[in-house]
Amino acid sequence: MKTELGQSPAPCKHAAAAARHNDQAPAAMQSSAVPRLMRVSEVERECEPTSTLAGMLKWVREFIGAPHPNLGRSGSICPFVPGALNMDTIWISEVADAEPTVDSISEIIKEYRNVFLATEPTKSPDSINKAFLVAFPTLTARGAEGAALVDKVQYRLKPYFVDQGMMLGEFHSMNDSPGLRNPDFRPLRSPVPMLAIRLMVESDLPFMTRDLYAPAERAAFLRSYLYRLGGSLKPSKFNEALEKLIVAEVAMRTVPAEASEAAVEPA
């Protein structure tokens, strides 16, 4: 899905409706104050091909859920997406607020976090295929400013997702985060700014140790990673995480306390 700078995709006319309380809707406690989460099958059935949600689904199928010559390995960019599409365990929503802010987006994402935890499937192994994608199409026209807004929310809320064994990913057209196997590949670029919610997996270790995080943040992420996944990790991955945790904790002793604290507020 492509959009010209200064334009946003057409909204899906069904997306603003509150989630319906039936077996196709995510957890019944979803607040009517947040946009409806729609399964992939619902997007296919109810949304026009030119809508934001249909465009997101096309991106999921043709980019994230597909192989790429620059990925650096075989298989799809996200190995869980093909299975999730088959299981219909990807939910998509769009926030049509004309002027979203860091605070307003944060509140919406915190609400979706709670819904995610209660939405089936909640137990392994099927739960690993569950994901929420939340798009902010009105940020498309704001270019770098809109992308930065998504990044700020992701940085602010990541500690509270990781603490519960979850990941919050930031996607937009200007995301320069490199691929894990090819530093010249940009797997987190999307046509519409969005945030993605999913469960933590073993391969998330590099996302816990990025240079942009202070030692205290890295240590907190790594402790959660080991606590949530320790029993299922390969010995080599467990040892690598433990070594990085020791490095982070040693580094905490060499930096001022105020510089090692996360610049976030409790959820």
Side-chain angles (χ1 to χ4, degrees):
M1 172 178 54
K2 293 183 179 181
T3 59
E4 297 297 331
L5 189 62
Q7 297 180 340
S8 297
C12 174
K13 62 183 179 180
H14 303 281
R20 293 168 298 184
H21 294 175
N22 56 35
D23 9 353
Q24 289 301 309
M29 83 277 289
Q30 182 181 337
S31 168
S32 60
V34 296
R36 173 185 169 191
L37 285 157
M38 300 178 69
R39 287 181 184 263
V40 164
S41 59
E42 293 178 289
V43 173
E44 292 175 325
R45 184 171 63 248
E46 300 181 24
C47 293
E48 295 295 328
T50 56
S51 69
T52 297
L53 298 190
M56 288 175 65
L57 177 53
K58 178 179 174 64
W59 171 79
V60 168
R61 288 191 185 281
E62 299 181 2
F63 183 66
I64 293 295
H68 194 286
N70 297 328
L71 182 58
R73 61 166 170 78
S74 59
S76 58
I77 291 176
C78 177
F80 298 99
V81 165
L85 288 170
N86 289 334
M87 294 173 62
D88 203 15
T89 52
I90 296 177
W91 282 264
I92 309 176
S93 75
E94 62 177 302
V95 178
D97 185 351
E99 294 290 336
T101 65
V102 169
D103 288 340
S104 69
I105 293 175
S106 294
E107 289 305 310
I108 289 169
I109 296 302
K110 285 189 285 187
E111 174 73 21
Y112 282 137
R113 178 194 59 188
N114 298 334
V115 175
F116 182 92
L117 288 170
T119 297
E120 295 295 341
T122 58
K123 299 185 183 302
S124 298
D126 290 344
S127 59
I128 210 66
N129 294 298
K130 179 175 62 177
F132 286 4
L133 303 180
V134 186
F136 301 90
T138 60
L139 292 179
T140 304
R142 290 166 64 177
E145 179 191 2
L149 210 158
V150 168
D151 289 341
K152 288 177 182 177
V153 173
Q154 192 272 346
Y155 182 82
R156 171 191 280 192
L157 297 185
K158 180 173 178 176
Y160 307 105
F161 277 78
V162 172
D163 184 60
Q164 296 186 58
M166 304 164 68
M167 296 295 288
L168 180 66
E170 74 286 11
F171 293 82
H172 50 73
S173 63
M174 300 178 184
N175 194 315
D176 283 331
S177 298
L180 297 180
R181 289 179 173 80
N182 179 1
D184 296 323
F185 182 50
R186 300 292 181 265
L188 303 186
R189 288 185 175 175
S190 63
V192 174
M194 70 180 74
L195 288 160
I197 300 171
R198 61 172 175 80
L199 291 180
M200 185 190 299
V201 296
E202 183 179 85
S203 59
D204 285 325
L205 180 57
F207 301 120
M208 309 297 174
T209 58
R210 288 176 168 175
D211 291 339
L212 64 91
Y213 300 127
E217 293 175 297
R218 296 199 300 272
F221 292 158
L222 289 163
R223 283 194 292 269
S224 294
Y225 178 86
L226 287 166
Y227 173 73
R228 296 288 178 175
L229 302 179
S232 63
L233 295 174
K234 297 174 185 174
S236 60
K237 193 66 71 173
F238 181 91
N239 291 335
E240 181 184 356
L242 187 58
E243 290 172 5
K244 290 180 182 296
L245 174 57
I246 293 171
V247 169
E249 291 186 336
V250 169
M252 287 170 59
R253 301 174 183 272
T254 65
V255 298
E258 61 271 15
S260 66
E261 295 176 354
V264 293
E265 57 193 43

